[in-house]
Amino acid sequence: MSLPPEKASELKQIIHNHLLKMDIHGKIREVLAEVVKDEGGSAHQSLSEADLLRALHRRGIIDDVMKDLPFTQVDQPHAEHSKIEAQPSQKTATHFADKDITQLKKSNVDPSKRYLYLQVLGGKAFLEHLHEPESLPGQVCSTFTLYVHFRNQRFRSKPVPCACEPDLKEGFLLEIHRDSFGEGTKMADATAMLSICDRVHLVLIKTDTSNETTLISSYFVDWRAVLSSPSGKTCFAVELMGVGSEFKVPAGVLTVSLELYPPLVETLSSDVISTQQSLERQRTAEKEKLFLVYAKQWWREFLEIRPSHKSKMVKIFAQDENGINRPVCSFVRVLRAGRLLESPRQAARFVSLLAYEKAPVVGGGGGKQEQWCTLMAFLCGGKGDCEDHATLLCSLLLGFGLDAYVCVGTKAKGVPHTWVLTRGTDGSITFWESLTAHRYLHQPIDSDAPPLAPQPKPSSPYRTVGCVFNHQTFLANCQPTDAVELCVFDLQNQSRWKAMSEEALRSVCAPGSTASLPPLPPLCAPTLDPAATSNQMELEMRYLVSEHRKDLGLATVWDDHLSYLLSSALSAYELERCSGVSCGNEEFQDAVRRAVPDGHTFKGFPIHFLHCNARRAFATCLKSPFCEEIVCCRGDHMRLAVRVRVFVYPENACAVWLMFACKYLSIL
């Protein structure tokens, strides 16, 4: 590899800064200086990578360099990020190397761009894990994983055992200017970087031994303090706060180091930076105050229409995981999934695969904890409440060009609920249930029709609707009744729907409108291998079935051909969930008839899961009498079959289809 002469000095500076972080930096600097002196005599001659590698090899330190300075990248092409990690030789390697990673490769550093190197140097004061026993090598234990998002780039750390002082030591190379932001490839100077108010979003997730995740903390780091450092490097402690009802309780402390590559020629004074941050906070506070004043006036006008409006489910503000009240419209953005999702229905299927979990509440009382998660926290945890699912689905449907809105209302027994509505160009209204991907065509009952006139039957599970909103519209239902079956979704009709000012909403909800607005993260491509995961889970399932039958004193004979035939049925089931169209069942039935001899009986039991834990899945299957009948089947010429198909979606969301089957000779 060679570089133009005008880029050589910039590359040398970047390499020099990385080598300073290693215990063997002295030896490497000597070799680098020697090679530069020997090879760089001419102004028109480039220093090649091969020359440097040969010099390092001659000194016998090439192996140490590769061991202590791994340049690795997690293969997530959609996120378009690279990851460089450089740690001292006494520290463990920092690349993420669990089974989810399909490829680790070198990362290319563009010397014409500015980078922010964020290092996490360790954690402390995670008092909830003060008495956590030290994990033994090879022992399964609860782990912490740190996720990072900055300007369309997403990273994650390797998982480390939970402890009072967790060994979270990672490095992330963040590109400050991104092509996707229209900034081209220019080198960002101090003034340009000062105007970038995007913060680094850190999300800490705990994963327990049964692979259940818990959101520990969600924190935003303002990185611009590094612009005033003469050395281009700063180090500070970050106090992570809890989430939900514990947002005022410290969760732990991370030591964070920030460094610019290449360093600034001219730094800014700390007063300039603090003044800029103060101005941004004042501007944000002023916009939020003005919107609050407007929202109160709008609400008073809404109540004056009818006194009964006070009891309607009109949700203007919602509290995020950090206890911050934000307009609900700010939770919805236009989100395009690139090549990761191909259609709106596939997007609905993906959202439904993210687990449903109500916000945890400490203690009893049955009250519902208020928590609408930011998209980054929702995606990293892989589970959330119905509001999180609905806002994500609405964002994806908007990305696919649909006229989509989030509905806030109730379902059966008055339980609060949120779902998604889309309007067709022909005026048709479709409800989307984000937790199941089911779709319902809405046909309102005509209350003015004669008593004997035929009326459409309600097809959806929703009972009332108080308001609908998306990223730029908020509408409250001011019809005489909020019953869904009687509602007319003519959203332009001001006598039926009271709208908020779009200009007022833009002032606090549009991207970049306020410094406090969380940035929109991109979806990440899956890293799981569906074939390998399916095979592994199927082998585990065969072992569990064999052991279960052995405990009952039964032998187990597997029919590999019958197991293979079950694949087409599982594929058809997933296709039906995605598209709503059933196909391929005739071929499966014909293949089974050919595989089962005359006089034999065939039984099959399909089931669907959102996880890849074979033991949990098998325990759930045995709760069904139909499955237990197959697994514990006795008979002449009895053969068993099992097939597992794992369908992988973005964010490693999995649809796991499992089918048990048996055939045996029928005896009268």
Side-chain angles (χ1 to χ4, degrees):
M1 182 186 74
S2 62
L3 287 174
E6 64 270 12
K7 300 294 185 183
S9 60
E10 291 174 331
L11 181 58
K12 291 174 191 174
Q13 183 63 52
I14 291 173
I15 294 174
H16 175 71
N17 288 330
H18 281 299
L19 296 180
L20 285 176
K21 297 181 177 297
M22 306 177 66
D23 290 342
I24 55 171
H25 61 275
K27 293 181 181 180
I28 299 178
R29 270 206 309 271
E30 292 175 9
V31 174
L32 182 59
E34 178 183 321
V35 174
V36 171
K37 182 178 179 181
D38 294 343
E39 305 290 342
S42 171
H44 300 285
Q45 187 173 357
S46 299
L47 174 62
S48 70
E49 183 180 345
D51 296 333
L52 179 59
L53 290 175
R54 280 197 296 271
L56 292 173
H57 187 68
R58 285 198 302 270
R59 290 292 186 95
I61 60 172
I62 184 68
D63 293 335
D64 293 334
V65 172
M66 297 306 295
K67 191 183 304 179
D68 296 331
L69 184 61
F71 290 79
T72 62
Q73 178 181 356
V74 181
D75 185 29
Q76 289 181 319
H78 181 70
E80 297 177 346
H81 69 256
S82 60
K83 178 176 178 182
I84 291 186
E85 295 157 340
Q87 298 288 347
S89 59
Q90 299 303 316
K91 298 180 181 179
T92 57
T94 59
H95 63 273
F96 189 85
D98 72 353
K99 62 183 180 181
D100 288 352
I101 302 306
T102 56
Q103 184 180 7
L104 295 173
K105 59 184 180 182
K106 284 189 175 183
S107 172
N108 295 321
V109 176
D110 187 344
S112 67
K113 294 184 179 181
R114 186 84 67 183
Y115 294 88
L116 177 69
Y117 184 54
L118 183 148
Q119 274 187 291
V120 180
L121 304 176
K124 57 185 178 182
F126 286 82
L127 300 182
E128 190 174 334
H129 302 276
L130 183 62
H131 302 293
E132 195 90 18
E134 187 174 349
S135 60
L136 301 174
Q139 180 185 4
V140 178
C141 62
S142 299
T143 59
F144 283 141
T145 306
L146 184 67
Y147 294 81
V148 179
H149 172 231
F150 180 68
R151 311 203 86 199
N152 220 38
Q153 304 159 87
R154 285 182 59 188
F155 304 85
R156 67 171 173 176
S157 71
K158 65 175 183 180
V160 299
C162 293
C164 183
E165 296 186 356
D167 191 32
L168 275 168
K169 296 176 181 176
E170 286 286 353
F172 308 101
L173 194 71
L174 311 175
E175 190 177 321
I176 293 179
H177 265 196
R178 301 286 293 165
D179 293 342
S180 57
F181 285 80
E183 295 155 343
T185 58
K186 59 185 177 181
M187 176 76 75
D189 58 14
T191 305
M193 288 189 287
L194 182 62
S195 65
I196 299 175
C197 59
D198 294 337
R199 296 167 295 171
V200 180
H201 193 180
L202 304 179
V203 175
L204 185 64
I205 298 292
K206 175 185 175 181
T207 307
D208 65 18
T209 52
S210 60
N211 217 33
E212 288 292 323
T213 59
T214 304
L215 175 63
I216 300 298
S217 183
S218 173
Y219 189 86
F220 293 90
V221 177
D222 193 328
W223 54 275
R224 290 174 292 181
V226 74
L227 300 178
S228 65
S229 173
S231 63
K233 184 175 182 179
T234 184
C235 188
F236 52 91
V238 169
E239 185 179 40
L240 301 179
M241 306 302 288
V243 296
S245 59
E246 302 177 15
F247 73 92
K248 293 183 179 179
V249 181
V253 177
L254 292 181
T255 303
V256 174
S257 168
L258 298 174
E259 188 169 1
L260 285 174
Y261 289 121
L264 291 171
V265 178
E266 294 183 5
T267 59
L268 301 174
S269 71
S270 56
D271 291 340
V272 171
I273 297 173
S274 60
T275 301
Q276 173 70 15
Q277 293 170 337
S278 178
L279 286 172
E280 290 172 357
R281 285 193 295 269
Q282 291 175 11
R283 195 179 303 121
T284 297
E286 183 179 349
K287 287 183 177 182
E288 291 175 346
K289 182 179 180 180
L290 288 173
F291 180 77
L292 180 60
V293 171
Y294 167 76
K296 287 181 176 179
Q297 176 62 31
W298 181 91
W299 176 246
R300 283 193 294 268
E301 294 172 358
F302 181 66
L303 293 182
E304 288 173 0
I305 299 174
R306 282 188 192 88
S308 61
H309 283 179
K310 192 172 184 179
S311 62
K312 286 193 174 183
M313 298 278 291
V314 179
K315 188 78 173 171
I316 303 174
F317 294 93
Q319 201 172 71
D320 67 11
E321 70 267 21
N322 291 322
I324 299 174
N325 282 311
R326 294 165 44 200
V328 291
C329 294
S330 68
F331 288 89
V332 178
R333 306 278 281 276
V334 178
L335 179 59
R336 296 180 178 88
R339 302 284 185 182
L340 299 180
L341 296 170
E342 300 295 338
S343 68
R345 296 195 186 189
Q346 192 179 36
R349 175 61 173 158
F350 156 64
V351 174
S352 71
L353 294 175
L354 299 171
Y356 168 63
E357 180 186 66
K358 292 183 179 180
V361 180
V362 178
K368 186 177 186 298
Q369 172 66 33
E370 172 74 7
Q371 181 177 311
W372 292 36
C373 283
T374 58
L375 181 55
M376 179 68 178
F378 178 39
L379 293 176
C380 294
K383 60 184 178 182
D385 213 332
C386 58
E387 294 88 359
D388 306 320
H389 288 78
T391 52
L392 173 56
L393 177 57
C394 184
S395 299
L396 288 167
L397 296 183
L398 288 169
F400 277 108
L402 299 184
D403 188 19
Y405 302 82
V406 175
C407 299
V408 179
T410 61
K411 52 183 181 179
K413 298 181 180 179
V415 177
H417 192 62
T418 58
W419 65 97
V420 178
L421 169 154
T422 55
R423 295 195 309 157
T425 54
D426 58 354
S428 62
I429 301 296
T430 304
F431 294 146
W432 303 63
E433 176 49 64
S434 58
L435 299 179
T436 61
H438 290 164
R439 300 164 69 251
Y440 308 95
L441 186 63
H442 173 65
Q443 293 180 314
I445 294 175
D446 185 1
S447 57
D448 297 327
L452 298 179
Q455 296 279 15
K457 293 183 178 180
S459 60
S460 72
Y462 315 120
R463 295 295 174 261
T464 66
V465 56
C467 64
V468 301
F469 66 89
N470 59 20
H471 62 305
Q472 56 190 14
T473 305
F474 185 93
L475 299 150
N477 184 2
C478 56
Q479 298 173 63
T481 174
D482 57 359
V484 170
E485 58 187 19
L486 296 173
C487 274
V488 177
F489 289 90
D490 179 11
L491 302 182
Q492 276 72 39
N493 190 333
Q494 296 182 8
S495 65
R496 298 180 186 273
W497 297 90
K498 179 172 175 57
M500 270 194 168
S501 163
E502 291 192 5
E503 184 180 352
L505 290 170
R506 275 197 302 271
S507 68
V508 289
C509 298
S513 58
T514 64
S516 62
L517 199 63
L520 182 72
L523 294 183
C524 283
T527 55
L528 285 177
D529 182 347
T533 308
S534 301
N535 288 338
Q536 178 63 29
M537 191 171 177
E538 188 172 312
L539 288 173
E540 293 176 14
M541 199 60 68
R542 284 197 175 200
Y543 171 78
L544 292 171
V545 171
S546 298
E547 289 298 304
H548 184 74
R549 289 177 60 83
K550 187 185 297 183
D551 292 340
L552 299 175
L554 300 174
T556 304
V557 182
W558 294 101
D559 187 329
D560 292 335
H561 177 62
L562 184 59
S563 296
Y564 178 72
L565 297 184
L566 303 180
S567 291
S568 61
L570 301 183
S571 180
Y573 297 152
E574 181 61 20
L575 181 62
E576 184 177 0
R577 290 290 181 96
C578 269
S579 64
V581 179
S582 178
C583 62
N585 196 41
E586 300 83 0
E587 293 86 349
F588 169 66
Q589 292 180 1
D590 186 66
V592 168
R593 289 191 186 98
R594 291 176 178 276
V596 178
D598 291 339
H600 283 63
T601 299
F602 171 83
K603 293 181 179 180
F605 175 78
I607 191 170
H608 175 251
F609 295 98
L610 303 183
H611 60 82
C612 299
N613 189 313
R615 288 189 178 275
R616 278 174 58 196
F618 187 60
T620 303
C621 290
L622 289 181
K623 294 178 183 178
S624 167
F626 301 104
C627 179
E628 187 180 23
E629 183 181 342
I630 293 174
V631 171
C632 306
C633 185
R634 303 167 184 261
D636 192 16
H637 291 84
M638 212 282 292
R639 298 291 183 269
L640 279 172
V642 64
R643 193 65 169 175
V644 177
R645 282 292 306 274
V646 178
F647 299 87
V648 181
Y649 289 81
E651 303 294 331
N652 281 341
C654 291
V656 179
W657 284 97
L658 167 65
M659 191 169 187
F660 291 104
C662 68
K663 65 177 183 179
Y664 56 90
L665 181 63
S666 301
I667 300 177
L668 299 177

